[in-house]
């Protein structure tokens, strides 16, 4: 086929929006990813108060709900929901594009540079999406938590729900699996967003990798410690 | 002289773009370890021709690793197992006696198979045509030494310009993305003062064309970098993304202005 | 046939300027009414197609590769000459002119060479403007190196990939015009015939290499930039696909073929390893700047590893024979000296056809990092191919067919003897005489494409009525198309037993043996007997599987080999008739007592241009006398 037979779309496509472009959507994914990673990090730090006892954790819950006369948490939720929506949308459309870009696969494909984490992003992402729904229904709204104690006025039972929730071994196991997925997703994702946003320079290459690894180990390690602590009776 | 090899090839055979293809097994016997991979295929093909069978079609030309024509996935790796090596520069001493070798074409929607291991890579040309150049009509530039260019920039530009456009990056990428190819050209020209006037329109135009050709997108696996026979770095992709972000944030539609006449 | 060189009068420094002024111009509004076909997309073709489109002509460009970026210009490693004199070491346009004429052993046209030297500076400017990342010094200015046969540093380079970078510059300029719709690009199209109507070139016939369709394309002028015919030797540094078909078909349509015997052998290639060898890889000549060439003094030492041969037992034969140029002696001299050493039984390596290129001294003097910086990629390539580490053991090298100075005869306007058919770059014969200097091929290709043809083609087109182009369904066009289809049918009809490559190899052996580095009357006569035999067998025992209506690489190769089998014969005939030694053409009967080439300026200070007289008839040798008005005919002396 000669080049002559096909047109150059560049000039017309130039007017297309940022969001129509593959790189534009990747930047959306990276930016929303930063918000979400930021959230899980803060979430992890906040929850360390479980180790300080019921009073501390419940007070923290009360504080979150009381911010800006109760508006703060909704602002948070709106931001998170938007970020999640954008993240899922960009991931879905890009994944569909990627699948279409190679309709016939290789018989003998060898992976050399890619990691298990990078290759399983779409699956770890899907598991995380399921987990988030479960997590909200479990510890936020309580529909999936038989022993759930709803807040009464300004009194929150975050600690009780936390302990009673993780006492169910299947639930604890699912949380742990989800956290491992989060680990894989973060480890590739944190490094990946620096790449997508153009924050790459050979001088900081090691730093980027170590930052991704460190942050992932910290978040996942602490998060996994919660169900483990409950199951082993360290937190009770 | 080392021992000759006997190999079994599993080769993708496909008569043309619209036909279905399948793997066919061929023996490659008495192969000298000093042969290049393509010379091994030449010998197999001459045997096929003498039997009146269709030889295996594969793209090749310079056979010294610079034209970027040769293209085949050898045992699941574009250009075979040796890093920074094109298929034509891969020698049979990299294989073991008795080995089975699977040969497949570059697989991508944007690279339709023309025959057997030969694919159509004109998508790359169209991406360059969309903006991979500096607009400098013949005879117009100033003296070559009028603009000093820091050696570091010249070297970085050369690193990126070393791309041979073979398409191994696309073939290796799990998403069949062309980002490494596109970013190499954008960074080659973007490193140089001569490339600055069109720097931001270039990145938009080339990426738009890349998308129009239905390449996949980068998910930062890094397979392209390892497969690249010229060692083009993924850092180029990051730099391209940065330029694209800046170009998108500051884009204004082309101003159509008439001359005063 | 009359060979009118159209050299403008006046002093040599003013000829080109004067000529540019004298050439008729095409009205800017009329330019788009003229269509120009450019065949080939290398430095000459790519540059010409882009530049002509920029001027406003309608351009179609054809190449057999899958992309114009892959033309074999891409493989040139060393560099490109430019008379910039940035280093103040005594270079000038006149010196580049002088070096080129002298390097070509006074068998090139003075006026053409001077023009080449003049525009060499514009080329460097153009390429830098396009973003070619030439090597630079720390101050940001362009770096130069000296290159085979030159005593000044005038070679600009981009690592060991200068050809690639210059080609990408031209390719990008071409793609820009394609994107703008000014050039229609036809990749994977092989030109198989020139359409000549009433003695004037009107278009070409091509085969679409994907669908097999035979198509005619008409135009107001045709430019051939299809490279050289070095693959007539089978093993050469050319790409596998490089072929002489376009120029050969043009020759058979009436374009004179000039100096076919001027073929250059490159001294520094990786030696052959066996029968399977499909091509030879060149190691840039720039290596000779820091490498020392030697063979053992005694035959008995040839089997020993290089490290076990003491300094005193080594013969640094180039340094010994040519003290002032040493390892940088011109290509033909270095090649013949290597052959001589091997003929004496002092060759090294498994086949005994090789000499050492040793970097030990340079590594000791400059340190390995410096050598790595200069030649890293070449060393890597060498190791990949041979499995030997050249930092530790010396490289083994041997000469191989590399470049063809001969080609279609063109006048000062680059027009062949067929009006409307222009020939650019390596495909023409014009600038290098009997031998080409290193780093001059890139210069000539780009000079023709960027800075000569855009002017001279205007002079031709201005004489044609706009819009008077022949129609593609004209009976004359259809008749030419039919001859191409017939030739393909003939090839399929043979139904023999042997592969196209088999015949190519057979031809190559004969060419290399009798018409390679050294030639003599008996050998050439022998070749002229053998080649028709191979051709005969080709037309009786060739096998091409498949059909013409699909991708068929055997068919492509068979067509090219068929033409080489004729071209090789003309090459030998020309070599036989040139009874002198000059440049790369070395007739053993004409050498000094010391084995140096002996020119015969009395009888052979001319271009030999061959006219085709039909199948079965002997071609006719015409001559264009070369006048040296600006330079004195002198014997080359590199001692």
């Amino acid at each position: 086929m000669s080049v002559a037979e096909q047109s150059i779309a560049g000039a017309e496509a130039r007017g297309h929006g940022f969001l129509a472009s593959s790189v534009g959507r990747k930047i959306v994914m990276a930016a929303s990813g930063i918000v979400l990673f930021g959230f899980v990090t803060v979430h992890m730090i906040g929850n360390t108060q479980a180790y300080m006892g019921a009073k501390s954790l419940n007070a923290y819950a009360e504080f979150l709900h009381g911010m800006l006369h109760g508006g703060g948490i909704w602002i948070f939720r709106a931001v998170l929901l938007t970020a999640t929506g954008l993240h899922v949308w960009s991931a879905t459309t890009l994944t569909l594009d990627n699948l279409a870009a190679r309709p016939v696969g290789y018989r003998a494909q060898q992976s050399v540079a890619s990691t298990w984490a990078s290759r399983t992003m779409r699956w770890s992402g899907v598991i995380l999406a399921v987990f988030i729904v479960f997590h909200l229904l479990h510890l936020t709204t309580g529909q999936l938590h038989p022993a759930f104690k709803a807040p009464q006025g300004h009194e929150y039972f975050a600690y009780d729900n936390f302990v009673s929730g993780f006492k169910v071994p299947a639930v604890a196991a699912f949380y742990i699996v989800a956290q491992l997925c989060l680990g894989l997703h973060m480890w590739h994702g944190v490094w990946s967003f620096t790449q997508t946003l153009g924050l790459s320079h050979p001088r900081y290459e090691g730093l980027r990798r170590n930052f991704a690894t460190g942050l992932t180990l910290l978040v996942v390690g602490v998060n996994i410690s919660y169900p483990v602590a409950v199951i082993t009776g360290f937190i009770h | 002289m080392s021992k000759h090899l006997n190999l079994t090839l599993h080769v993708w055979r496909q008569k043309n773009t619209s036909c279905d293809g399948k793997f066919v097994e061929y023996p490659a016997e008495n192969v000298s370890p000093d042969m290049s991979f393509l010379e091994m295929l030449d010998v197999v093909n001459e045997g096929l021709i003498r039997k009146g069978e269709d030889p295996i079609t594969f793209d090749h030309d310079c056979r010294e690793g610079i034209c970027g024509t040769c293209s085949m996935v050898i045992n699941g790796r574009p250009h075979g197992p040796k890093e920074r090596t094109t298929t034509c520069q891969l020698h049979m001493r990299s294989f073991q006696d008795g080995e089975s070798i699977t040969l497949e074409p570059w697989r991508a929607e944007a690279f339709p198979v023309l025959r057997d291991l030969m694919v159509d890579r004109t998508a790359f040309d169209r991406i360059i045509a969309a903006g991979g150049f500096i607009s400098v009509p013949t005879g117009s530039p100033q003296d070559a030494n009028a603009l000093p260019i820091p050696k570091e920039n010249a070297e970085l530009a050369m690193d990126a310009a070393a791309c041979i456009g073979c398409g191994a990056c696309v073939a290796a990428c799990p998403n069949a993305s062309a980002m490494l190819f596109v970013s190499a050209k954008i960074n080659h020209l973007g490193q140089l003062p001569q490339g600055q006037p069109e720097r931001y329109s270039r990145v938009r135009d080339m990426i738009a064309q890349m998308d129009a050709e239905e390449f996949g997108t980068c998910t930062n696996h890094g397979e392209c970098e390892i497969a690249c026979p010229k060692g083009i770095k993924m850092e180029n992709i990051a730099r391209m993304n940065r330029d694209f972000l800046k170009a998108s944030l500051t884009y204004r539609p082309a101003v159509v202005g008439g001359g005063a006449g | 046939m009359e060979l009118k060189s159209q050299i403008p009068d006046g002093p040599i420094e003013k000829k080109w300027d004067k000529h540019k002024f004298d050439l008729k111009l095409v009205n800017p509004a009329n330019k788009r009414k003229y269509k120009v076909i450019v065949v080939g997309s290398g430095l000459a073709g790519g540059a010409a197609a882009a530049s002509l489109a920029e001027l406003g002509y309608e351009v179609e460009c054809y190449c057999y590769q899958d992309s114009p970026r892959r033309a074999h210009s891409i493989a040139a490693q060393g560099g490109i000459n430019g008379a910039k004199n940035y280093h103040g070491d005594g270079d000038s346009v006149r010196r580049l002119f002088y070096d080129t004429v002298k390097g070509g052993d006074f068998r090139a046209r003075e006026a053409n060479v001077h023009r080449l030297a003049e525009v060499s500076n514009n080329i460097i400017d153009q390429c830098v403007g396009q973003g070619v990342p030439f090597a630079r010094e720390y101050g940001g200015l362009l770096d130069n190196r000296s290159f085979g046969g030159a005593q000044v540093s005038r070679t600009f380079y981009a690592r060991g990939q200068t050809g690639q970078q210059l080609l990408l510059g031209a390719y990008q300029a071409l793609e820009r015009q394609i994107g703008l719709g000014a050039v229609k690009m036809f990749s994977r199209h092989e030109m198989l015939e020139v359409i000549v109507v009433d003695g004037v070139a009107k278009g070409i016939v091509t085969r679409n290499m994907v669908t097999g369709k035979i198509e005619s394309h008409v135009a107001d002028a045709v430019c051939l930039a299809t490279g050289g015919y070095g693959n007539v030797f089978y093993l050469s540094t050319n790409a596998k696909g490089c072929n002489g078909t376009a120029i050969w078909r043009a020759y058979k349509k009436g374009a004179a073929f000039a100096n076919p015997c001027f073929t250059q052998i490159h001294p520094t290639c990786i030696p052959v390893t066996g029968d399977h060898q499909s091509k030879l890889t060149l190691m840039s000549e720039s290596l000779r700047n820091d490498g020392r060439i030697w063979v053992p003094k005694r035959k008995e030492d040839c089997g020993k590893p290089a490290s076990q041969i003491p300094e005193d037992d080594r013969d640094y034969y180039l340094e010994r024979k040519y003290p002032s140029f040493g390892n940088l002696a011109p290509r033909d001299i270095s090649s013949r000296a290597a052959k001589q050493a091997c003929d004496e039984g002092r060759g090294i390596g498994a086949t005994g056809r090789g000499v050492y290129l040793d970097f030990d001294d340079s590594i000791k003097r400059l340190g390995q990092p410096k050598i790595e910086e200069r030649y890293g990629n070449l060393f890597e390539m060498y190791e990949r191919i041979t499995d030997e580490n050249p930092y530790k053991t010396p490289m083994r090298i041997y000469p191989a067919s590399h470049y063809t100075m001969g080609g279609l005869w063109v006048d000062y306007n680059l027009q062949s003897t067929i009006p409307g058919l222009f020939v650019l770059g390596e495909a023409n014969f014009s600038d290098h005489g009997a031998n080409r200097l290193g780093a001059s091929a890139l210069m000539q290709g780009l000079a023709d494409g960027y800075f000569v043809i855009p002017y001279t083609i205007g002079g031709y087109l201005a004489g044609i009525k706009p819009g008077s182009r022949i129609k593609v369904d004209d009976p004359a066009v259809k008749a030419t198309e039919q001859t191409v289809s017939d030739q393909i049918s003939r090839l399929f009809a043979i139904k023999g037993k042997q592969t196209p490559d088999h015949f190519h190899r057979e031809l190559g052996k004969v060419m290399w043996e009798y018409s390679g580095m050294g030639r003599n009357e008996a050998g050439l006569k022998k070749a002229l007997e053998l080649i028709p035999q191979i051709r005969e067998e080709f037309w009786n025992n060739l096998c091409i599987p498949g059909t013409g209506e699909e991708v068929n690489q055997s068919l492509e190769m068979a067509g090219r080999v068929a033409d080489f089998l004729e071209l090789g014969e003309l090459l030998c005939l020309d070599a036989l008739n040139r009874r002198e030694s000059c440049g790369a053409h070395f007739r053993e009967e004409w050498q000094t007592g010391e084995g140096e080439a002996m020119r015969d300026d009395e009888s052979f200070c001319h271009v030999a241009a061959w006219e085709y007289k039909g199948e079965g008839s002997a071609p006719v040798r015409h001559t264009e006398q070369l006048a040296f008005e600006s330079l004195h005919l002198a014997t080359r002396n590199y001692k």
Side-chain angles (χ1 to χ4, degrees), chain B residues 10-227:
Chain B
H10 302 271
V11 186
W12 180 259
R13 301 303 305 262
Q14 180 174 343
K15 218 163 168 49
N16 55 46
T17 309
S18 48
C19 282
D20 287 337
K22 62 173 193 297
F23 282 97
V24 179
E25 194 180 303
Y26 298 96
E29 281 154 358
N30 213 17
V31 173
S32 156
D34 287 329
M35 282 182 183
S36 73
F37 199 85
L38 299 185
E39 285 166 351
M40 182 273 293
L41 286 178
D42 286 343
V43 172
V44 170
N45 272 347
E46 290 210 64
L48 290 174
I49 296 173
R50 288 196 188 98
K51 285 194 275 179
E53 290 177 32
D54 284 333
I56 301 159
T57 301
F58 58 92
D59 261 327
H60 63 96
D61 205 21
C62 79
R63 299 205 174 192
E64 52 188 275
I66 192 73
C67 73
T69 310
C70 59
S71 49
M72 59 183 78
V73 175
I74 301 167
N75 283 342
R77 293 185 64 177
H79 294 303
K82 277 195 86 130
E83 281 179 21
R84 299 200 62 171
T85 303
T86 54
T87 303
C88 62
Q89 298 261 283
L90 176 67
H91 282 69
M92 296 313 292
R93 62 181 82 93
S94 300
F95 295 87
Q96 306 285 320
D97 188 30
E99 205 172 319
S100 273
I101 302 175
T102 304
L103 297 181
E104 297 169 81
W106 283 178
R107 295 285 190 197
E109 178 70 6
F111 289 165
V113 173
L114 296 177
R115 183 165 196 173
D116 299 345
L117 305 174
M118 175 192 274
V119 299
D120 177 356
R121 286 170 288 191
T122 50
F124 272 9
D125 293 323
R126 290 186 292 273
I127 292 174
I128 298 294
F133 47 74
I134 291 171
S135 298
V136 49
T138 301
S140 57
Q142 58 186 341
D143 183 82
N145 253 350
L147 272 176
I149 301 176
K151 189 173 167 72
E152 190 188 4
N153 292 76
E155 295 295 327
L156 286 171
M158 183 63 219
D159 284 346
C163 166
I164 55 174
C166 64
C169 47
V170 175
C173 175
N175 309 325
S177 166
M179 295 275 274
L180 193 67
F181 167 79
V182 178
S183 67
K185 186 48 66 194
I186 283 170
N187 278 293
H188 158 209
L189 301 175
Q191 285 288 351
L192 301 170
Q194 290 85 353
Q196 298 311 309
E198 292 163 295
R199 180 168 175 181
Y200 296 104
S201 60
R202 177 181 307 122
V203 69
R204 287 184 60 92
D205 292 349
M206 289 181 75
I207 286 177
Q209 186 65 33
M210 175 185 89
D211 288 345
E213 300 290 349
E214 299 185 356
F215 285 104
T217 62
C218 177
T219 47
N220 304 322
H221 289 294
E223 294 287 356
C224 54
E225 189 178 80
I226 297 287

Side-chain angles (χ1 to χ4, degrees), chain A residues 1-27 29 93-95 97-122 188-189 191-203 205 208-209, chain B residues 10 12 23 73-78 83 102 104-110 112 114 120 122 125-127 129-130 169-177 179 201 204-224 226 234-242 244-245 248-249 251 254:
Chain A
M1 192 166 304
S2 76
V3 180
E5 291 158 37
Q6 302 203 6
S7 67
I8 309 298
E12 302 93 74
R14 199 163 156 187
H16 287 185
F18 180 73
L19 295 180
S21 146
S22 62
V23 181
R25 279 177 286 152
K26 280 194 55 59
I27 291 171
M29 170 138 59
T93 59
L94 288 171
T95 301
D97 286 356
N98 291 345
L99 292 175
R102 175 161 298 138
V104 184
Y106 294 108
R107 173 149 124 180
Q109 179 147 33
Q110 279 187 36
S111 299
V112 189
S114 61
T115 58
W116 200 63
S118 73
R119 289 194 302 274
T120 53
M121 283 302 269
R122 62 182 67 136
H188 181 68
W191 178 82
S192 196
F193 79 64
T194 58
Q195 180 74 14
T196 301
L197 296 179
L199 307 171
S200 167
H201 190 283
R203 192 165 164 185
E205 182 55 32
R208 285 201 296 156
R209 274 284 175 210
Chain B
H10 302 271
W12 180 259
F23 282 97
V73 175
I74 301 167
N75 283 342
R77 293 185 64 177
E83 281 179 21
T102 304
E104 297 169 81
W106 283 178
R107 295 285 190 197
E109 178 70 6
L114 296 177
D120 177 356
T122 50
D125 293 323
R126 290 186 292 273
I127 292 174
C169 47
V170 175
C173 175
N175 309 325
S177 166
M179 295 275 274
S201 60
R204 287 184 60 92
D205 292 349
M206 289 181 75
I207 286 177
Q209 186 65 33
M210 175 185 89
D211 288 345
E213 300 290 349
E214 299 185 356
F215 285 104
T217 62
C218 177
T219 47
N220 304 322
H221 289 294
E223 294 287 356
C224 54
I226 297 287
M234 273 175 81
E235 188 196 343
N236 288 304
I237 298 181
R239 296 179 69 98
M240 173 173 80
N241 291 340
R242 194 159 67 199
F244 178 79
L245 188 56
S248 302
L249 292 176
Y251 171 70

Side-chain angles (χ1 to χ4, degrees), chain A residues 209-226:
Chain A
R209 274 284 175 210
N210 293 339
F211 173 67
T213 310
L215 186 66
T216 304
L217 287 178
L218 184 69
V219 169
V220 173
V222 174
N223 276 352
I224 286 182
S225 79
Y226 299 130

Side-chain angles (χ1 to χ4, degrees), chain C residues 83 89 110 161 268 279 343 403 408 415 440 452 485 559 609 612:
Chain C
D89 58 357
E110 265 191 344
Q161 292 124 276
T268 54
K279 83 151 267 154
D343 287 347
Y403 186 88
L408 292 185
Q415 187 167 228
S440 283
V452 180
S485 305
Y612 183 70

Side-chain angles (χ1 to χ4, degrees), chain C residues 7-23:
Chain C
I7 296 171
D9 47 18
I12 194 147
E13 297 80 11
K14 303 277 178 223
K15 282 181 195 284
W16 179 230
D17 274 346
K18 176 180 181 300
H19 191 64
K20 281 193 285 188
F21 184 74
D22 289 344
L23 282 165

Side-chain angles (χ1 to χ4, degrees), chain A residues 110-148:
Chain A
Q110 279 187 36
S111 299
V112 189
S114 61
T115 58
W116 200 63
S118 73
R119 289 194 302 274
T120 53
M121 283 302 269
R122 62 182 67 136
W123 303 119
S124 55
V126 168
I127 294 172
L128 284 174
V130 172
F131 168 73
I132 290 166
V133 175
F134 172 79
H135 181 53
L136 291 174
L137 294 174
H138 183 233
L139 285 180
T140 307
T141 59
Q143 277 88 340
L144 293 178
H145 192 329
F148 190 76

